PDB file of all heavy atoms in Angstrom:
ATOM      1  N   MET A   1     -13.637 -56.605 239.933  1.00 94.00           N
ATOM      2  CA  MET A   1     -12.618 -55.800 239.515  1.00 94.00           C
ATOM      3  C   MET A   1     -13.138 -54.629 238.720  1.00 94.00           C
ATOM      4  O   MET A   1     -14.094 -54.725 238.039  1.00 94.00           O
ATOM      5  CB  MET A   1     -11.615 -56.601 238.653  1.00 94.00           C
ATOM      6  CG  MET A   1     -10.847 -57.695 239.496  1.00 94.00           C
ATOM      7  SD  MET A   1      -9.528 -58.457 238.621  1.00 94.00           S
ATOM      8  CE  MET A   1     -10.313 -59.134 237.132  1.00 94.00           C
ATOM      9  N   VAL A   2     -12.447 -53.414 238.966  1.00 96.00           N
ATOM     10  CA  VAL A   2     -13.024 -52.270 238.341  1.00 96.00           C
ATOM     11  C   VAL A   2     -11.610 -51.447 237.936  1.00 96.00           C
ATOM     12  O   VAL A   2     -10.636 -51.591 238.395  1.00 96.00           O
ATOM     13  CB  VAL A   2     -13.678 -51.417 239.399  1.00 96.00           C
ATOM     14  CG1 VAL A   2     -15.028 -52.113 239.810  1.00 96.00           C
ATOM     15  CG2 VAL A   2     -12.853 -51.004 240.605  1.00 96.00           C
ATOM     16  N   GLY A   3     -12.054 -50.603 236.990  1.00 96.00           N
ATOM     17  CA  GLY A   3     -10.966 -49.543 236.414  1.00 96.00           C
ATOM     18  C   GLY A   3     -10.950 -48.359 237.464  1.00 96.00           C
ATOM     19  O   GLY A   3     -11.718 -48.299 238.376  1.00 96.00           O
ATOM     20  N   LEU A   4      -9.900 -47.583 237.226  1.00 95.00           N
ATOM     21  CA  LEU A   4      -9.721 -46.494 238.166  1.00 95.00           C
ATOM     22  C   LEU A   4     -10.870 -45.516 238.327  1.00 95.00           C
ATOM     23  O   LEU A   4     -11.260 -45.025 239.254  1.00 95.00           O
ATOM     24  CB  LEU A   4      -8.468 -45.783 237.870  1.00 95.00           C
ATOM     25  CG  LEU A   4      -7.152 -46.414 238.201  1.00 95.00           C
ATOM     26  CD1 LEU A   4      -6.029 -45.499 237.732  1.00 95.00           C
ATOM     27  CD2 LEU A   4      -7.058 -46.784 239.616  1.00 95.00           C
ATOM     28  N   ARG A   5     -11.542 -45.208 237.186  1.00 95.00           N
ATOM     29  CA  ARG A   5     -12.675 -44.189 237.136  1.00 95.00           C
ATOM     30  C   ARG A   5     -13.782 -44.711 237.900  1.00 95.00           C
ATOM     31  O   ARG A   5     -14.375 -44.162 238.770  1.00 95.00           O
ATOM     32  CB  ARG A   5     -13.115 -44.069 235.780  1.00 95.00           C
ATOM     33  CG  ARG A   5     -14.319 -43.034 235.609  1.00 95.00           C
ATOM     34  CD  ARG A   5     -14.686 -42.763 234.102  1.00 95.00           C
ATOM     35  NE  ARG A   5     -13.520 -42.316 233.325  1.00 95.00           N
ATOM     36  CZ  ARG A   5     -13.151 -41.009 233.211  1.00 95.00           C
ATOM     37  NH1 ARG A   5     -13.657 -40.083 233.837  1.00 95.00           N
ATOM     38  NH2 ARG A   5     -12.051 -40.798 232.410  1.00 95.00           N
ATOM     39  N   LYS A   6     -14.136 -46.067 237.731  1.00 96.00           N
ATOM     40  CA  LYS A   6     -15.290 -46.741 238.434  1.00 96.00           C
ATOM     41  C   LYS A   6     -14.861 -46.705 240.031  1.00 96.00           C
ATOM     42  O   LYS A   6     -15.719 -46.563 240.857  1.00 96.00           O
ATOM     43  CB  LYS A   6     -15.568 -48.105 238.026  1.00 96.00           C
ATOM     44  CG  LYS A   6     -16.337 -48.082 236.638  1.00 96.00           C
ATOM     45  CD  LYS A   6     -17.699 -47.771 236.796  1.00 96.00           C
ATOM     46  CE  LYS A   6     -18.545 -47.931 235.566  1.00 96.00           C
ATOM     47  NZ  LYS A   6     -19.772 -47.476 235.562  1.00 96.00           N
ATOM     48  N   ALA A   7     -13.713 -47.075 240.165  1.00 95.00           N
ATOM     49  CA  ALA A   7     -13.261 -47.287 241.704  1.00 95.00           C
ATOM     50  C   ALA A   7     -13.426 -45.937 242.269  1.00 95.00           C
ATOM     51  O   ALA A   7     -13.862 -45.775 243.480  1.00 95.00           O
ATOM     52  CB  ALA A   7     -11.784 -47.826 241.755  1.00 95.00           C
ATOM     53  N   GLN A   8     -12.955 -44.717 241.740  1.00 95.00           N
ATOM     54  CA  GLN A   8     -13.062 -43.548 242.333  1.00 95.00           C
ATOM     55  C   GLN A   8     -14.495 -43.064 242.479  1.00 95.00           C
ATOM     56  O   GLN A   8     -14.902 -42.556 243.443  1.00 95.00           O
ATOM     57  CB  GLN A   8     -12.323 -42.443 241.308  1.00 95.00           C
ATOM     58  CG  GLN A   8     -12.257 -41.048 241.942  1.00 95.00           C
ATOM     59  CD  GLN A   8     -13.445 -40.169 241.759  1.00 95.00           C
ATOM     60  OE1 GLN A   8     -14.066 -40.236 240.797  1.00 95.00           O
ATOM     61  NE2 GLN A   8     -13.681 -39.278 242.727  1.00 95.00           N
ATOM     62  N   GLN A   9     -15.364 -43.271 241.417  1.00 96.00           N
ATOM     63  CA  GLN A   9     -16.753 -42.893 241.609  1.00 96.00           C
ATOM     64  C   GLN A   9     -17.570 -43.644 242.620  1.00 96.00           C
ATOM     65  O   GLN A   9     -18.459 -43.079 243.382  1.00 96.00           O
ATOM     66  CB  GLN A   9     -17.433 -43.211 240.147  1.00 96.00           C
ATOM     67  CG  GLN A   9     -16.929 -42.206 239.045  1.00 96.00           C
ATOM     68  CD  GLN A   9     -17.453 -42.554 237.667  1.00 96.00           C
ATOM     69  OE1 GLN A   9     -17.986 -43.516 237.510  1.00 96.00           O
ATOM     70  NE2 GLN A   9     -17.406 -41.541 236.773  1.00 96.00           N
ATOM     71  N   ALA A  10     -17.228 -44.925 242.787  1.00 95.00           N
ATOM     72  CA  ALA A  10     -18.030 -45.767 243.633  1.00 95.00           C
ATOM     73  C   ALA A  10     -17.536 -46.069 244.978  1.00 95.00           C
ATOM     74  O   ALA A  10     -18.154 -46.266 245.920  1.00 95.00           O
ATOM     75  CB  ALA A  10     -18.410 -47.124 242.929  1.00 95.00           C
ATOM     76  N   HIS A  11     -16.059 -46.092 245.111  1.00 93.00           N
ATOM     77  CA  HIS A  11     -15.588 -46.536 246.330  1.00 93.00           C
ATOM     78  C   HIS A  11     -14.438 -45.586 246.941  1.00 93.00           C
ATOM     79  O   HIS A  11     -14.248 -45.572 248.152  1.00 93.00           O
ATOM     80  CB  HIS A  11     -14.771 -47.782 246.052  1.00 93.00           C
ATOM     81  CG  HIS A  11     -15.628 -49.003 245.488  1.00 93.00           C
ATOM     82  ND1 HIS A  11     -16.694 -49.583 246.211  1.00 93.00           N
ATOM     83  CD2 HIS A  11     -15.817 -49.301 244.213  1.00 93.00           C
ATOM     84  CE1 HIS A  11     -17.372 -50.489 245.276  1.00 93.00           C
ATOM     85  NE2 HIS A  11     -16.736 -50.281 244.152  1.00 93.00           N
ATOM     86  N   LEU A  12     -13.947 -44.731 246.154  1.00 93.00           N
ATOM     87  CA  LEU A  12     -12.870 -43.856 246.692  1.00 93.00           C
ATOM     88  C   LEU A  12     -13.291 -42.432 246.375  1.00 93.00           C
ATOM     89  O   LEU A  12     -12.492 -41.639 245.768  1.00 93.00           O
ATOM     90  CB  LEU A  12     -11.551 -44.209 245.961  1.00 93.00           C
ATOM     91  CG  LEU A  12     -11.061 -45.607 246.294  1.00 93.00           C
ATOM     92  CD1 LEU A  12      -9.798 -45.951 245.359  1.00 93.00           C
ATOM     93  CD2 LEU A  12     -10.697 -45.834 247.755  1.00 93.00           C
ATOM     94  N   THR A  13     -14.435 -41.902 246.914  1.00 92.00           N
ATOM     95  CA  THR A  13     -14.879 -40.699 246.453  1.00 92.00           C
ATOM     96  C   THR A  13     -14.112 -39.583 247.106  1.00 92.00           C
ATOM     97  O   THR A  13     -14.199 -38.322 246.633  1.00 92.00           O
ATOM     98  CB  THR A  13     -16.325 -40.503 246.835  1.00 92.00           C
ATOM     99  OG1 THR A  13     -16.454 -40.818 248.207  1.00 92.00           O
ATOM    100  CG2 THR A  13     -17.202 -41.459 246.027  1.00 92.00           C
ATOM    101  N   ASN A  14     -13.295 -39.862 248.133  1.00 90.00           N
ATOM    102  CA  ASN A  14     -12.552 -38.832 248.765  1.00 90.00           C
ATOM    103  C   ASN A  14     -11.206 -38.465 247.924  1.00 90.00           C
ATOM    104  O   ASN A  14     -10.434 -37.597 248.284  1.00 90.00           O
ATOM    105  CB  ASN A  14     -12.175 -39.116 250.215  1.00 90.00           C
ATOM    106  CG  ASN A  14     -11.333 -40.539 250.144  1.00 90.00           C
ATOM    107  OD1 ASN A  14     -11.534 -41.323 249.361  1.00 90.00           O
ATOM    108  ND2 ASN A  14     -10.458 -40.663 251.153  1.00 90.00           N
ATOM    109  N   LEU A  15     -10.850 -39.341 246.898  1.00 91.00           N
ATOM    110  CA  LEU A  15      -9.741 -39.039 246.000  1.00 91.00           C
ATOM    111  C   LEU A  15     -10.162 -38.680 244.566  1.00 91.00           C
ATOM    112  O   LEU A  15     -11.343 -38.996 244.242  1.00 91.00           O
ATOM    113  CB  LEU A  15      -8.949 -40.338 245.912  1.00 91.00           C
ATOM    114  CG  LEU A  15      -8.189 -40.709 247.219  1.00 91.00           C
ATOM    115  CD1 LEU A  15      -7.657 -42.153 246.922  1.00 91.00           C
ATOM    116  CD2 LEU A  15      -7.154 -39.890 247.655  1.00 91.00           C
ATOM    117  N   THR A  16      -9.530 -37.796 243.992  1.00 93.00           N
ATOM    118  CA  THR A  16      -9.758 -37.638 242.593  1.00 93.00           C
ATOM    119  C   THR A  16      -9.208 -38.624 241.679  1.00 93.00           C
ATOM    120  O   THR A  16      -8.230 -39.338 241.994  1.00 93.00           O
ATOM    121  CB  THR A  16      -9.191 -36.063 242.195  1.00 93.00           C
ATOM    122  OG1 THR A  16      -7.793 -36.194 242.249  1.00 93.00           O
ATOM    123  CG2 THR A  16      -9.810 -35.151 243.110  1.00 93.00           C
ATOM    124  N   LEU A  17      -9.728 -38.696 240.471  1.00 94.00           N
ATOM    125  CA  LEU A  17      -9.280 -39.433 239.512  1.00 94.00           C
ATOM    126  C   LEU A  17      -7.839 -39.246 239.139  1.00 94.00           C
ATOM    127  O   LEU A  17      -7.005 -40.125 239.075  1.00 94.00           O
ATOM    128  CB  LEU A  17     -10.188 -39.558 238.278  1.00 94.00           C
ATOM    129  CG  LEU A  17      -9.680 -40.482 237.084  1.00 94.00           C
ATOM    130  CD1 LEU A  17      -9.695 -41.926 237.438  1.00 94.00           C
ATOM    131  CD2 LEU A  17     -10.719 -40.287 235.870  1.00 94.00           C
ATOM    132  N   ALA A  18      -7.594 -37.904 239.109  1.00 94.00           N
ATOM    133  CA  ALA A  18      -6.127 -37.523 238.742  1.00 94.00           C
ATOM    134  C   ALA A  18      -5.240 -37.958 239.861  1.00 94.00           C
ATOM    135  O   ALA A  18      -4.117 -38.449 239.621  1.00 94.00           O
ATOM    136  CB  ALA A  18      -6.109 -35.950 238.653  1.00 94.00           C
ATOM    137  N   ALA A  19      -5.580 -37.895 241.101  1.00 92.00           N
ATOM    138  CA  ALA A  19      -4.729 -38.326 242.287  1.00 92.00           C
ATOM    139  C   ALA A  19      -4.500 -39.809 242.074  1.00 92.00           C
ATOM    140  O   ALA A  19      -3.297 -40.289 242.423  1.00 92.00           O
ATOM    141  CB  ALA A  19      -5.382 -38.001 243.555  1.00 92.00           C
ATOM    142  N   LEU A  20      -5.553 -40.585 241.778  1.00 94.00           N
ATOM    143  CA  LEU A  20      -5.270 -42.061 241.543  1.00 94.00           C
ATOM    144  C   LEU A  20      -4.408 -42.383 240.396  1.00 94.00           C
ATOM    145  O   LEU A  20      -3.463 -43.223 240.576  1.00 94.00           O
ATOM    146  CB  LEU A  20      -6.746 -42.730 241.364  1.00 94.00           C
ATOM    147  CG  LEU A  20      -7.485 -42.887 242.559  1.00 94.00           C
ATOM    148  CD1 LEU A  20      -8.914 -43.435 242.057  1.00 94.00           C
ATOM    149  CD2 LEU A  20      -6.966 -43.818 243.576  1.00 94.00           C
ATOM    150  N   ARG A  21      -4.564 -41.625 239.326  1.00 95.00           N
ATOM    151  CA  ARG A  21      -3.588 -41.784 238.146  1.00 95.00           C
ATOM    152  C   ARG A  21      -2.186 -41.451 238.536  1.00 95.00           C
ATOM    153  O   ARG A  21      -1.338 -42.142 238.145  1.00 95.00           O
ATOM    154  CB  ARG A  21      -4.120 -41.116 236.999  1.00 95.00           C
ATOM    155  CG  ARG A  21      -5.431 -41.600 236.308  1.00 95.00           C
ATOM    156  CD  ARG A  21      -5.891 -40.890 235.168  1.00 95.00           C
ATOM    157  NE  ARG A  21      -6.997 -41.482 234.612  1.00 95.00           N
ATOM    158  CZ  ARG A  21      -7.869 -40.895 233.860  1.00 95.00           C
ATOM    159  NH1 ARG A  21      -7.827 -39.569 233.515  1.00 95.00           N
ATOM    160  NH2 ARG A  21      -8.868 -41.654 233.294  1.00 95.00           N
ATOM    161  N   ARG A  22      -2.087 -40.370 239.272  1.00 94.00           N
ATOM    162  CA  ARG A  22      -0.707 -39.961 239.704  1.00 94.00           C
ATOM    163  C   ARG A  22      -0.052 -40.851 240.572  1.00 94.00           C
ATOM    164  O   ARG A  22       1.063 -41.357 240.564  1.00 94.00           O
ATOM    165  CB  ARG A  22      -0.865 -38.657 240.356  1.00 94.00           C
ATOM    166  CG  ARG A  22       0.386 -37.849 240.581  1.00 94.00           C
ATOM    167  CD  ARG A  22       0.320 -36.501 241.109  1.00 94.00           C
ATOM    168  NE  ARG A  22      -0.617 -35.641 240.516  1.00 94.00           N
ATOM    169  CZ  ARG A  22      -1.816 -35.337 241.141  1.00 94.00           C
ATOM    170  NH1 ARG A  22      -1.983 -35.465 242.372  1.00 94.00           N
ATOM    171  NH2 ARG A  22      -2.698 -34.530 240.546  1.00 94.00           N
ATOM    172  N   ALA A  23      -0.851 -41.594 241.502  1.00 93.00           N
ATOM    173  CA  ALA A  23      -0.371 -42.449 242.438  1.00 93.00           C
ATOM    174  C   ALA A  23       0.049 -43.707 241.690  1.00 93.00           C
ATOM    175  O   ALA A  23       1.116 -44.297 241.998  1.00 93.00           O
ATOM    176  CB  ALA A  23      -1.383 -42.779 243.475  1.00 93.00           C
ATOM    177  N   ARG A  24      -0.808 -44.148 240.772  1.00 95.00           N
ATOM    178  CA  ARG A  24      -0.476 -45.421 239.944  1.00 95.00           C
ATOM    179  C   ARG A  24       0.764 -45.236 239.251  1.00 95.00           C
ATOM    180  O   ARG A  24       1.634 -46.155 239.135  1.00 95.00           O
ATOM    181  CB  ARG A  24      -1.566 -45.606 238.904  1.00 95.00           C
ATOM    182  CG  ARG A  24      -1.283 -46.811 238.049  1.00 95.00           C
ATOM    183  CD  ARG A  24      -2.274 -46.986 236.909  1.00 95.00           C
ATOM    184  NE  ARG A  24      -2.332 -45.784 236.031  1.00 95.00           N
ATOM    185  CZ  ARG A  24      -3.332 -45.575 235.245  1.00 95.00           C
ATOM    186  NH1 ARG A  24      -4.254 -46.392 235.121  1.00 95.00           N
ATOM    187  NH2 ARG A  24      -3.344 -44.533 234.351  1.00 95.00           N
ATOM    188  N   ALA A  25       1.258 -43.988 238.876  1.00 94.00           N
ATOM    189  CA  ALA A  25       2.487 -43.844 238.194  1.00 94.00           C
ATOM    190  C   ALA A  25       3.597 -43.614 239.050  1.00 94.00           C
ATOM    191  O   ALA A  25       4.755 -43.995 238.805  1.00 94.00           O
ATOM    192  CB  ALA A  25       2.357 -42.586 237.211  1.00 94.00           C
ATOM    193  N   ASN A  26       3.485 -43.032 240.272  1.00 92.00           N
ATOM    194  CA  ASN A  26       4.507 -42.653 241.068  1.00 92.00           C
ATOM    195  C   ASN A  26       4.684 -43.310 242.460  1.00 92.00           C
ATOM    196  O   ASN A  26       5.748 -43.251 243.031  1.00 92.00           O
ATOM    197  CB  ASN A  26       4.339 -41.165 241.400  1.00 92.00           C
ATOM    198  CG  ASN A  26       4.458 -40.289 240.181  1.00 92.00           C
ATOM    199  OD1 ASN A  26       5.259 -40.600 239.263  1.00 92.00           O
ATOM    200  ND2 ASN A  26       3.765 -39.255 240.198  1.00 92.00           N
ATOM    201  N   ASP A  27       3.656 -44.012 243.006  1.00 92.00           N
ATOM    202  CA  ASP A  27       3.648 -44.718 244.260  1.00 92.00           C
ATOM    203  C   ASP A  27       4.034 -46.200 244.120  1.00 92.00           C
ATOM    204  O   ASP A  27       3.151 -46.944 243.563  1.00 92.00           O
ATOM    205  CB  ASP A  27       2.249 -44.546 244.959  1.00 92.00           C
ATOM    206  CG  ASP A  27       2.247 -44.994 246.285  1.00 92.00           C
ATOM    207  OD1 ASP A  27       3.232 -45.687 246.781  1.00 92.00           O
ATOM    208  OD2 ASP A  27       1.304 -44.690 247.055  1.00 92.00           O
ATOM    209  N   PRO A  28       5.198 -46.545 244.668  1.00 92.00           N
ATOM    210  CA  PRO A  28       5.563 -48.017 244.572  1.00 92.00           C
ATOM    211  C   PRO A  28       4.582 -48.915 245.374  1.00 92.00           C
ATOM    212  O   PRO A  28       4.616 -50.087 245.076  1.00 92.00           O
ATOM    213  CB  PRO A  28       6.910 -47.990 245.100  1.00 92.00           C
ATOM    214  CG  PRO A  28       7.060 -46.800 245.997  1.00 92.00           C
ATOM    215  CD  PRO A  28       6.155 -45.775 245.311  1.00 92.00           C
ATOM    216  N   ASP A  29       3.790 -48.364 246.148  1.00 93.00           N
ATOM    217  CA  ASP A  29       2.909 -49.233 247.075  1.00 93.00           C
ATOM    218  C   ASP A  29       1.580 -49.294 246.454  1.00 93.00           C
ATOM    219  O   ASP A  29       0.679 -50.077 246.927  1.00 93.00           O
ATOM    220  CB  ASP A  29       2.790 -48.565 248.416  1.00 93.00           C
ATOM    221  CG  ASP A  29       4.106 -48.597 249.227  1.00 93.00           C
ATOM    222  OD1 ASP A  29       4.789 -49.572 249.123  1.00 93.00           O
ATOM    223  OD2 ASP A  29       4.223 -47.742 250.085  1.00 93.00           O
ATOM    224  N   PHE A  30       1.290 -48.604 245.375  1.00 94.00           N
ATOM    225  CA  PHE A  30       0.103 -48.756 244.619  1.00 94.00           C
ATOM    226  C   PHE A  30      -0.148 -50.232 244.186  1.00 94.00           C
ATOM    227  O   PHE A  30       0.807 -50.672 243.581  1.00 94.00           O
ATOM    228  CB  PHE A  30      -0.001 -47.731 243.477  1.00 94.00           C
ATOM    229  CG  PHE A  30      -1.378 -47.459 242.910  1.00 94.00           C
ATOM    230  CD1 PHE A  30      -2.229 -46.655 243.591  1.00 94.00           C
ATOM    231  CD2 PHE A  30      -1.907 -48.250 241.796  1.00 94.00           C
ATOM    232  CE1 PHE A  30      -3.509 -46.399 243.087  1.00 94.00           C
ATOM    233  CE2 PHE A  30      -3.218 -48.058 241.380  1.00 94.00           C
ATOM    234  CZ  PHE A  30      -3.986 -47.122 241.941  1.00 94.00           C
ATOM    235  N   PRO A  31      -1.279 -50.665 244.310  1.00 96.00           N
ATOM    236  CA  PRO A  31      -1.583 -52.025 243.921  1.00 96.00           C
ATOM    237  C   PRO A  31      -1.406 -52.261 242.462  1.00 96.00           C
ATOM    238  O   PRO A  31      -1.771 -51.533 241.626  1.00 96.00           O
ATOM    239  CB  PRO A  31      -3.055 -52.383 244.244  1.00 96.00           C
ATOM    240  CG  PRO A  31      -3.657 -51.066 244.790  1.00 96.00           C
ATOM    241  CD  PRO A  31      -2.601 -50.122 244.865  1.00 96.00           C
ATOM    242  N   ALA A  32      -0.901 -53.531 242.119  1.00 97.00           N
ATOM    243  CA  ALA A  32      -0.595 -53.940 240.815  1.00 97.00           C
ATOM    244  C   ALA A  32      -2.035 -54.338 240.083  1.00 97.00           C
ATOM    245  O   ALA A  32      -2.828 -54.814 240.934  1.00 97.00           O
ATOM    246  CB  ALA A  32       0.206 -55.147 240.750  1.00 97.00           C
ATOM    247  N   PRO A  33      -2.166 -54.131 238.899  1.00 97.00           N
ATOM    248  CA  PRO A  33      -3.410 -54.418 238.240  1.00 97.00           C
ATOM    249  C   PRO A  33      -3.746 -55.947 238.306  1.00 97.00           C
ATOM    250  O   PRO A  33      -2.764 -56.755 238.286  1.00 97.00           O
ATOM    251  CB  PRO A  33      -3.244 -54.043 236.758  1.00 97.00           C
ATOM    252  CG  PRO A  33      -1.838 -53.640 236.655  1.00 97.00           C
ATOM    253  CD  PRO A  33      -1.209 -53.460 237.971  1.00 97.00           C
ATOM    254  N   ALA A  34      -4.953 -56.403 238.439  1.00 96.00           N
ATOM    255  CA  ALA A  34      -5.279 -57.780 238.511  1.00 96.00           C
ATOM    256  C   ALA A  34      -5.848 -58.283 237.218  1.00 96.00           C
ATOM    257  O   ALA A  34      -5.975 -59.590 237.136  1.00 96.00           O
ATOM    258  CB  ALA A  34      -6.412 -57.924 239.668  1.00 96.00           C
ATOM    259  N   GLY A  35      -5.941 -57.355 236.158  1.00 96.00           N
ATOM    260  CA  GLY A  35      -6.503 -57.853 234.928  1.00 96.00           C
ATOM    261  C   GLY A  35      -6.525 -56.646 234.007  1.00 96.00           C
ATOM    262  O   GLY A  35      -6.229 -55.568 234.164  1.00 96.00           O
ATOM    263  N   LYS A  36      -7.117 -56.964 232.762  1.00 96.00           N
ATOM    264  CA  LYS A  36      -7.336 -55.959 231.900  1.00 96.00           C
ATOM    265  C   LYS A  36      -8.627 -56.179 231.055  1.00 96.00           C
ATOM    266  O   LYS A  36      -9.043 -57.317 230.945  1.00 96.00           O
ATOM    267  CB  LYS A  36      -6.131 -55.959 230.650  1.00 96.00           C
ATOM    268  CG  LYS A  36      -4.959 -55.355 231.140  1.00 96.00           C
ATOM    269  CD  LYS A  36      -3.891 -55.505 230.017  1.00 96.00           C
ATOM    270  CE  LYS A  36      -4.048 -54.156 229.206  1.00 96.00           C
ATOM    271  NZ  LYS A  36      -3.014 -54.014 228.263  1.00 96.00           N
ATOM    272  N   ARG A  37      -9.294 -55.127 230.648  1.00 95.00           N
ATOM    273  CA  ARG A  37     -10.454 -55.188 229.877  1.00 95.00           C
ATOM    274  C   ARG A  37     -10.184 -54.233 228.700  1.00 95.00           C
ATOM    275  O   ARG A  37     -10.174 -53.083 228.835  1.00 95.00           O
ATOM    276  CB  ARG A  37     -11.674 -54.723 230.541  1.00 95.00           C
ATOM    277  CG  ARG A  37     -13.040 -54.834 229.663  1.00 95.00           C
ATOM    278  CD  ARG A  37     -14.202 -54.216 230.492  1.00 95.00           C
ATOM    279  NE  ARG A  37     -14.356 -54.686 231.779  1.00 95.00           N
ATOM    280  CZ  ARG A  37     -14.563 -53.756 232.834  1.00 95.00           C
ATOM    281  NH1 ARG A  37     -14.629 -52.581 232.544  1.00 95.00           N
ATOM    282  NH2 ARG A  37     -14.653 -54.227 234.053  1.00 95.00           N
ATOM    283  N   GLY A  38      -9.739 -54.838 227.521  1.00 96.00           N
ATOM    284  CA  GLY A  38      -9.323 -53.988 226.377  1.00 96.00           C
ATOM    285  C   GLY A  38      -7.911 -53.352 226.890  1.00 96.00           C
ATOM    286  O   GLY A  38      -7.026 -54.033 227.249  1.00 96.00           O
ATOM    287  N   ALA A  39      -7.981 -52.084 226.761  1.00 94.00           N
ATOM    288  CA  ALA A  39      -6.758 -51.383 227.128  1.00 94.00           C
ATOM    289  C   ALA A  39      -6.768 -50.829 228.694  1.00 94.00           C
ATOM    290  O   ALA A  39      -5.804 -50.428 229.237  1.00 94.00           O
ATOM    291  CB  ALA A  39      -6.485 -50.173 226.248  1.00 94.00           C
TER     292      ALA A  39
END
């Protein structure tokens, strides 16, 4: 499991971190978090 920043850097390089954060907030199909590490 990874945070959005690591996911973008290592696996989703065609998307920006801002796009992932925007999708997390606005896209109902965005996956639910599987856990937490601190905040």
Side-chain angles (χ1 to χ4, degrees):
M1 293 191 298
V2 297
L4 286 183
R5 182 180 304 276
K6 288 281 187 190
Q8 187 276 326
Q9 291 171 344
H11 305 286
L12 301 171
T13 56
N14 59 326
L15 296 170
T16 64
L17 182 57
L20 286 172
R21 288 178 174 159
R22 195 173 316 113
R24 178 182 61 193
N26 299 324
D27 187 347
D29 294 328
F30 195 81
K36 280 183 94 170
R37 182 183 317 128

